[in-house]
Amino acid sequence: ATRGVGGGDTISKMPDVEESVPLKDLGDSEDRSCKPETSGPPHEDKSGPEDPPPFLSVTGLTKTVNEVSKLSNKIGMNCDYYMEEKVLPPSSLEGKVKETVHNAFWDHLKEQLSATPPDFSCALELLKEIKEILLSLLLPRQNRLRTEIEEALDTDLLKQEAEHGALKVLYLSKYVLNMMALLCAPVRDEAVQKLENITDPVWLLRGIFQVLGLMKMDMVNYTIQSLQPHLQEHSIQYERAKFQELLNKQPSLLNHTTKWLTQAAADLTMSPLTCPDTSDSSSLAGPSPNEATNNSEPLSPTMVLCQGFLNLLLWDPENEEFPETLLMDRTRLQELKSQLHQLTIMASVLLVASSFSGSVLFGSPQFVDKLKRITKSLLEDFHSRPEEAILTVSEQISQEIHQSLKNMGLVALSSDNTASLMGQLQNIAKKENCVHSVIDQRIRLFLKCCLVLGVQRSLLDLPGGLTLIEAELAELGQKFVNLTHHNQQVFGPYYTEILETLISPAQALETKVESV
């Protein structure tokens, strides 16, 4: 038997990105008094395409799109998206209640099976549920296994055996276990094998349900990946159609989007950041005021849109004129902005620390990784307590460098060097700090290159000071590219129309958003 899981529009020159879209929850069962909950996908939004749009406003747009497309959009941002079980903290009230209810159920089952004569009512319900789950895990071509499961767990036959007190719960559980070993993904082999040593029927059934919950989740994720291209295209067309419905009734719905792109074109004219492969200039600094004023470089719709996306990472939270086409992505953009800021601080810390540590310490990947872990952990409270957070970072980093130098038999930091190191590290928190400013600009240049050239090509020519955070940059860049690519596929036609009014045909390098 086969084992389990182991066309839109876009600005031209943008890198292709594999995308995925959501799948409805598979195999969710209705509640029964004699049935425990198996692990399953998160609660699914019940609103559907038939829901009428709410009142026409920015708030209404957000609500409408979120209700019908939120999960689809999220998966479109991440080609590696997968669903996972929501794990409740054992100490939480909800976790304690769930554990109490589950324990009560299994205790009740034990009492029934231990009675004289045994009561098999709950056991029958469990076996029926197990049968449904196993059948839901089969692929369409696995007809022989489907017939085998139907016969081995035939509901009518099991009822007759129960009525005569001859229902072999442990034997049937072992059969189920063998079938699970056949159907599960390799990652579940160990969990299934552990169940084979359990001889108590109640504990075995409890373990079976826990692992079946994980197998259901595996099947959901497998199906998402299998149907990804088809669902992605449907998602793009649906989101665009829904937006068009609102635009037809509220023609001013693109006002903020137009203003956003207008500002991007102006910014690009004044101070364009260029990628190594698209310009002979390797300087990170923008042009002088005179150079900016006289900049006659022809505008490209691709570059204008790239600049617009980059501007969103600098967006003032107080500014409510957020582009209508990106409202659903606003939270994710805010998360990317926070991640960018954290990487700016981290890279700046490493750059300053390396000047006090020498090549010996920073030649050790383990040492660099340790400094990164320390910095990342201590920066979690940066937004609420920036001064305290950066002070703690400076103390911990200085102490780690000092101790590591001593352990390696090298000259430890003097008191003056320690004070200088801590002072420079603390100044990194200030945006006007030279190191902070340069690293921030270089990361933004990297992100712009990711939009134009793709992440992998951009990683081949990282600006100085960023090599130590290459892995983190790759993750940030991929998230940013995924988000912007999906957005372009959905709203490309609207961007084309707006950009045609901003860029004259004689000036433009490109004249429209091309289909891919």
Side-chain angles (χ1 to χ4, degrees):
T2 302
R3 292 172 65 87
V5 181
D9 300 284
T10 182
I11 293 292
S12 60
K13 294 186 181 179
M14 286 294 186
D16 293 333
V17 181
E18 293 184 3
E19 302 183 43
S20 55
V21 286
L23 176 75
K24 280 190 176 182
D25 185 7
L26 297 182
D28 266 340
S29 55
E30 55 192 76
D31 294 333
R32 296 190 181 97
S33 58
C34 282
K35 187 194 301 182
E37 293 183 5
T38 56
S39 301
H43 176 67
E44 181 185 349
D45 191 351
K46 297 300 181 182
S47 59
E50 298 80 11
D51 296 340
F55 60 90
L56 298 175
S57 66
V58 172
T59 303
L61 170 64
T62 306
K63 181 178 180 181
T64 299
V65 179
N66 278 345
E67 286 180 347
V68 296
S69 306
K70 186 175 181 180
L71 183 56
S72 171
N73 184 271
K74 181 185 294 185
I75 294 177
M77 301 302 107
N78 182 7
C79 60
D80 297 321
Y81 178 85
Y82 66 96
M83 300 182 72
E84 57 186 354
E85 178 189 6
K86 178 183 178 182
V87 179
L88 298 173
S91 58
S92 67
L93 178 60
E94 190 176 357
K96 291 179 179 178
V97 170
K98 182 177 180 180
E99 182 66 19
T100 300
V101 171
H102 281 201
N103 288 338
F105 167 80
W106 293 110
D107 289 343
H108 178 60
L109 175 64
K110 186 174 183 178
E111 291 176 2
Q112 285 191 339
L113 296 181
S114 301
T116 305
D119 181 352
F120 293 112
S121 56
C122 278
L124 285 172
E125 289 293 333
L126 290 178
L127 292 170
K128 182 180 179 181
E129 170 67 2
I130 289 173
K131 173 185 173 182
E132 293 173 357
I133 296 175
L134 289 177
L135 291 175
S136 73
L137 295 175
L138 295 177
L139 298 176
R141 65 176 180 270
Q142 294 177 306
N143 294 321
R144 184 182 62 79
L145 284 178
R146 188 178 305 277
T147 301
E148 181 182 330
I149 294 172
E150 291 277 10
E151 293 177 353
L153 298 176
D154 181 81
T155 303
D156 293 335
L157 179 60
L158 295 182
K159 284 183 179 179
Q160 293 178 17
E161 292 179 357
E163 290 172 358
H164 292 85
L167 186 64
K168 300 177 181 178
V169 177
L170 185 59
Y171 171 80
L172 291 170
S173 298
K174 292 293 184 179
Y175 168 80
V176 169
L177 203 57
N178 291 334
M179 188 59 63
M180 290 169 61
L182 198 63
L183 296 175
C184 74
V187 71
R188 305 301 174 199
D189 282 344
E190 183 178 354
V192 174
Q193 289 171 4
K194 288 182 179 179
L195 298 179
E196 294 176 354
N197 299 322
I198 301 177
T199 57
D200 181 273
V202 175
W203 279 103
L204 181 55
L205 283 171
R206 186 167 189 169
I208 284 174
F209 266 90
Q210 289 175 346
V211 178
L212 281 176
L214 298 175
M215 291 172 62
K216 284 175 61 180
M217 192 68 69
D218 294 337
M219 178 55 74
V220 169
N221 290 317
Y222 169 75
T223 308
I224 287 176
Q225 295 300 319
S226 299
L227 300 179
Q228 193 178 78
H230 309 287
L231 295 176
Q232 174 63 22
E233 180 60 27
H234 174 77
S235 167
I236 292 168
Q237 298 301 329
Y238 177 78
E239 288 183 51
R240 186 186 299 161
K242 203 67 180 177
F243 185 87
Q244 185 62 48
E245 287 181 20
L246 297 176
L247 185 60
N248 291 340
K249 298 179 181 179
Q250 188 177 348
S252 63
L253 200 58
L254 284 170
N255 286 359
H256 294 166
T257 301
T258 302
K259 186 174 181 179
W260 162 61
L261 290 175
T262 302
Q263 183 61 53
D267 292 344
L268 194 62
T269 302
M270 292 300 297
S271 180
L273 283 178
T274 57
C275 298
D277 286 17
T278 61
S279 171
D280 293 333
S281 173
S282 59
S283 173
L284 283 168
S288 65
N290 289 335
E291 290 174 321
T293 303
N294 297 324
N295 188 346
S296 58
E297 287 284 330
L299 285 179
S300 152
T302 296
M303 299 309 293
V304 173
L305 193 55
C306 285
Q307 184 63 43
F309 286 131
L310 288 169
N311 287 348
L312 295 174
L313 298 178
L314 292 167
W315 197 268
D316 181 0
E318 301 299 322
N319 185 354
E320 292 300 324
E321 296 185 350
F322 201 80
E324 298 89 346
T325 55
L326 284 141
L327 282 172
M328 192 160 56
D329 298 319
R330 190 168 188 174
T331 299
R332 280 185 287 273
L333 284 164
Q334 183 61 42
E335 292 172 353
L336 291 178
K337 179 181 178 181
S338 298
Q339 189 175 348
L340 186 154
H341 183 260
Q342 185 182 76
L343 289 183
T344 299
I345 298 294
M346 181 184 293
S348 301
V349 167
L350 294 175
L351 188 61
V352 170
S354 65
S355 65
F356 285 83
S357 307
S359 59
V360 177
L361 281 184
F362 268 73
S364 168
Q366 293 80 9
F367 177 76
V368 174
D369 287 342
K370 188 173 185 179
L371 293 191
K372 287 160 70 172
R373 289 195 303 271
I374 292 173
T375 304
K376 183 177 180 179
S377 174
L378 297 176
L379 286 179
E380 291 180 356
D381 298 328
F382 185 85
H383 290 292
S384 58
R385 299 182 296 112
E387 294 183 1
E388 293 180 32
I390 199 64
L391 175 60
T392 307
V393 168
S394 65
E395 291 174 345
Q396 291 289 330
I397 295 296
S398 300
Q399 181 180 346
E400 189 63 37
I401 292 175
H402 181 81
Q403 190 60 46
S404 296
L405 288 172
K406 287 180 61 178
N407 292 343
M408 296 183 69
L410 302 174
V411 179
L413 293 176
S414 65
S415 57
D416 289 342
N417 283 341
T418 300
S420 178
L421 172 59
M422 290 185 61
Q424 291 186 42
L425 290 175
Q426 290 176 50
N427 286 332
I428 286 173
K430 302 174 183 177
K431 291 186 177 180
E432 62 273 15
N433 176 264
C434 179
V435 176
H436 181 116
S437 177
V438 169
I439 293 296
D440 177 74
Q441 192 174 13
R442 289 177 177 178
I443 293 179
R444 294 180 192 280
L445 173 59
F446 167 77
L447 291 176
K448 188 164 192 175
C449 292
C450 286
L451 294 181
V452 179
L453 306 174
V455 177
Q456 295 306 315
R457 286 182 62 188
S458 301
L459 289 171
L460 296 177
D461 193 10
L462 278 176
L466 302 186
T467 54
L468 294 177
I469 58 167
E470 180 177 344
E472 292 80 5
L473 281 178
E475 179 185 350
L476 175 64
Q478 194 61 61
K479 288 180 180 178
F480 193 46
V481 168
N482 288 346
L483 186 152
T484 56
H485 183 81
H486 181 79
N487 181 266
Q488 292 165 57
Q489 287 189 306
V490 175
F491 298 105
Y494 305 106
Y495 294 148
T496 294
E497 191 173 334
I498 294 171
L499 290 170
E500 284 178 347
T501 65
L502 297 178
I503 306 174
S504 63
Q507 185 186 23
L509 290 175
E510 307 163 44
T511 58
K512 67 178 181 177
V513 177
E514 298 179 357
S515 297
V516 293

